[in-house]
Amino acid sequence: MLPRGRPRALGAAALLLLLAVGFFLFGGDLEYGRLRGAASLDGELTRDHNRSACLPLRSLLPKCELLHVAIVCAGYNSSRDVVTLVKSMLFYRKNPLHLHLVTDEVARNILETLFHTWMVPAVRVSFYNTSKFQAGAVSWIPNTHYSGLYELLKLVLPDALPPDLARVIVLDTDVTFASDIAELWAFFAHFSDKQMIGLVENQSNWYLGNLWKNHRPWPALGRGFNTGVILLWLDRLRQAGWEQMWKVTARRLLLTLSSTSLADQDIFNAVIKEHPGLVLLLPCLWNVQLSDHHTLAERCYSEASDLKVIHWNSPKKLRVKNKDVEFFRNLHLTFLEYDGNLLRRELFGCPSQPPPQAEQRQRALAHLDEEDACFEFQQQRLTVHRVHLTFLPLDLLPSRHDVTLVAQLSVDRLQMLEALCSHWPGPMSLALYLTDAEAQQFLRFVEASKVLSARSNVAYHVVYREGPLYPVNHLRNVALAQARTSHVFLSDIDFLPAYSLYNYLRASIEQLDLSSQRKTALVVPAFESLHYRLSFPTSKAELLALLDAGSLHTFRYDVWPQGHTPTDYARWREAQAPYQVQWAADYEPYVVVPRECPRYDSRFVGFGWNKVAHIVELDAQEYEFLVLPEAFTIHMPHAPSLDISRFRSSPAYRDCLHALKDEFHQDLSRHYGAAALKYLTALQRSRSST
Ligand SMILES: *[C@@H]1O[C@H](CO)[C@@H](O)[C@H](O)[C@H]1NC(C)=O
Ligand SMILES: *[C@@H]1O[C@H](CO)[C@@H](O)[C@H](O)[C@H]1NC(C)=O
Ligand SMILES: *[C@@H]1O[C@H](CO)[C@@H](O)[C@H](O)[C@H]1NC(C)=O
Ligand SMILES: *[C@@H]1O[C@H](CO)[C@@H](O)[C@H](O)[C@H]1NC(C)=O
């Protein structure tokens, strides 16, 4: 079994500690708190009440009932927010959940991959296409709110969600849970026959309409309601003709009012003002709305030690100043950095079918022999890494004859990114192998860097760390699969390409008329510098001068010459035109190939042979290798990775690598028959020489 107990316990302990601190901050000795203005709640809840008063509520909830949650999410940044929200929800939940995600294309691509690879038990995810509703249903409503059209989609949920879905909790992406969502679901049991919408009062004075001279908000009951957390009784809304109801109200008001400033919230409030009987008022703790200058939110939580949901309200609010915000921020940061892998735990007491990928993996793991010297390798291969594609916004213009630089890195190579950006102005697709906490560190790193934050054509894909060995080829495949150009430059993070390489490659692809069908691998000759402060050559002539002066060398000329010998550096010196070279054993050049090229063999983890196997695959598929006369890339020095050190020091590690190579060759023979013979012979020769 996997050693999962300890880190989980640590994470949970850290959180408990944090919550305990919060409890003291908010005074465990205070009265439990009064539900402000909860006049419409039934008798039992309107009285002043204490902790034990919550018990009857809890017991209304059938154990293991499936709870439905809907979230509207569009774009890159909101997709990150959703993950934090979902982590907080999963941390406290005890019930199976069904997430209904209404997304644009961007968010769908990200979240589909994320949930598929996350494999959380007892969580189902369904996607709904925003563009289907946006066009007709809500785009006629003028609005000036920062979250734009998407928030308005909350209005069409009764029609957009499946007709047999009766009740749902709707959440904004900027809320964080501090308790079990089942307690919120339990409020459905408190709806009267006529009530259909559960909401918390708006904790600001916006709808009172006195914020500034001529401030004319949309009509609302009192201070209105906040729609960051909504309980929707969909059945009843459909029966009551909700769609008609809100459209009529909105159309009428838009005759006299201009656009909505708060999107869906304005319309919900206007409808409710006309039909107050629809609403069940929820306790303010279920949507504590943070703001700088409004005291109402503060009154809500400062009276209560039992905070339920924090609502950040706008992208800026993480920086609000009020006395308790430190506690809220810590809660939020805890979930930002919380190891999502720990949420793969089974639900206690609610049997559930594990996701099919998880089941397969369990079965395969059960067959492994822990005594096997290569157990770690076998185990790493079966690991399903959680993947968050395009972690940061991306803005790529489609263009023909274009090349994406593909590479992978871990947190200790982040400092290569700025230099790489200055050498390569074109698109990049980079896989980052990080923990959840390191992913936040990475965000801060990008935000603090002028060079990096100015780039919108670099896609960063986070693959979350798991297991002892670096899954180098899996990372390369993740980055490769996300490239959007006709060609890819398969590089490594510690290489800096010639400043001119990007434009030169594009021009070469065009001149050589390399369509994506043509099986050509353009070879970019590789060099190495032993000096951190290299004055980087700006032309081939300068590079040759440095080479002659001994400041540069051909890559790994001393420890692994066979990796690049076939490139024929002597010929390259003189070459004026591209020339073809032949594959030879252990050849591993840096190449530019069509995006549809073969994937890397993800069996190869850690250090050794991972690129060699890919080049063999290219050769087996009859790619021709063409060396470009003006192209070059230079390896910059750095401390050796942990895996290289292990490789060099451990015979067992090398034996496992040999075992992998054997497997790889068996597969090659199966695939390519007699044509694979030359690779086998090469392997035998290289083995007898090591
Ligand atoms: C707490 O609530 C329970 C049930 O409503 C009540 O019996 C009890 O007296 C209350 N305790 C305090 C300290 O108010
Ligand atoms: C998205 O998030 C990044 C990282 O926090 C930030 O730098 C960027 O400004 C955000 N973009 C938008 C459109 O909010
Ligand atoms: C969503 O709808 C748009 C427009 O109808 C369509 O182009 C797109 O392919 C759909 N996306 C998915 C994932 O179904
Ligand atoms: C209520 O109104 C404010 C306007 O001050 C708005 O920003 C917010 O979205 C609404 N909800 C709040 C503050 O809880």
Side-chain angles (χ1 to χ4, degrees), residues 20 53 142 187 205 209 246 281 317 332 391 463 490 503 512 523 529 578:
F187 279 96
N205 292 331
W246 73 259
L281 181 62
K317 294 288 169 62
H332 185 74
F391 203 63
V463 176
L490 305 175
N503 285 325
L512 297 168
V523 175
S529 160

Side-chain angles (χ1 to χ4, degrees), residues 401-468:
H401 303 308
D402 208 348
V403 192
T404 301
L405 185 150
V406 170
Q408 38 71 39
L409 63 153
S410 52
V411 77
D412 55 335
R413 294 283 186 276
L414 284 184
Q415 76 284 354
M416 284 302 292
L417 290 176
E418 284 198 359
L420 185 57
C421 279
S422 67
H423 281 250
W424 182 269
M428 294 196 245
S429 180
L430 305 175
L432 292 91
Y433 192 51
L434 304 173
T435 63
D436 292 74
E438 285 168 348
Q440 296 307 312
Q441 196 183 326
F442 162 69
L443 278 182
R444 292 191 290 272
F445 184 83
V446 172
E447 273 171 17
S449 158
K450 279 208 182 69
V451 177
L452 299 183
S453 44
R455 289 288 287 263
S456 58
N457 62 352
V458 181
Y460 301 100
H461 314 293
V462 176
V463 176
Y464 287 100
R465 285 190 90 95
E466 198 179 354

Side-chain angles (χ1 to χ4, degrees), residues 145 201-207 211 223 225-226 262 265 289-291 293-294 311 313 317:
H145 193 240
E201 195 179 14
N202 194 349
Q203 292 158 13
S204 87
N205 292 331
W206 175 267
Y207 288 109
L211 291 188
R223 8 186 112 257
F225 296 95
N226 184 281
L262 302 180
Q265 189 162 297
Q289 303 147 36
L290 284 194
S291 60
H293 38 269
H294 300 119
H311 185 183
N313 255 318
K317 294 288 169 62

Side-chain angles (χ1 to χ4, degrees), residues 161-174:
L161 296 176
D164 58 350
L165 183 58
R167 290 171 295 168
V168 72
I169 293 176
V170 184
L171 300 172
D172 274 0
T173 56
D174 59 349

Side-chain angles (χ1 to χ4, degrees), residues 133-149:
F133 310 105
Q134 231 174 332
V138 294
S139 60
W140 53 275
I141 306 168
N143 101 91
T144 57
H145 193 240
Y146 63 83
S147 48
L149 273 184

Side-chain angles (χ1 to χ4, degrees), residues 26-40:
F26 291 131
D29 56 346
L30 282 178
E31 270 286 333
Y32 173 69
R34 179 191 304 259
L35 296 176
R36 289 186 335 91
S40 54

Side-chain angles (χ1 to χ4, degrees), residues 557-573:
Y557 69 102
D558 50 348
V559 290
W560 182 249
Q562 64 270 46
H564 295 266
T565 305
T567 297
D568 196 348
Y569 288 100
R571 183 164 176 196
W572 184 77
R573 286 186 87 104

Side-chain angles (χ1 to χ4, degrees), residues 283-339:
C284 64
L285 296 170
W286 285 101
N287 181 352
V288 174
Q289 303 147 36
L290 284 194
S291 60
D292 287 325
H293 38 269
H294 300 119
T295 52
L296 286 168
E298 227 168 283
R299 199 175 305 159
C300 173
Y301 59 73
S302 63
E303 282 175 8
S305 55
D306 205 5
L307 185 74
K308 307 291 190 186
V309 172
I310 303 164
H311 185 183
W312 302 93
N313 255 318
S314 87
K316 294 189 294 289
K317 294 288 169 62
L318 261 180
R319 285 188 274 274
V320 299
K321 295 187 201 65
N322 78 35
K323 64 186 171 57
D324 303 306
V325 80
E326 206 54 38
F327 168 67
F328 296 135
R329 211 182 344 245
N330 281 342
L331 185 73
H332 185 74
L333 291 181
T334 301
F335 286 115
L336 276 176
E337 302 192 348
Y338 187 77
D339 179 355

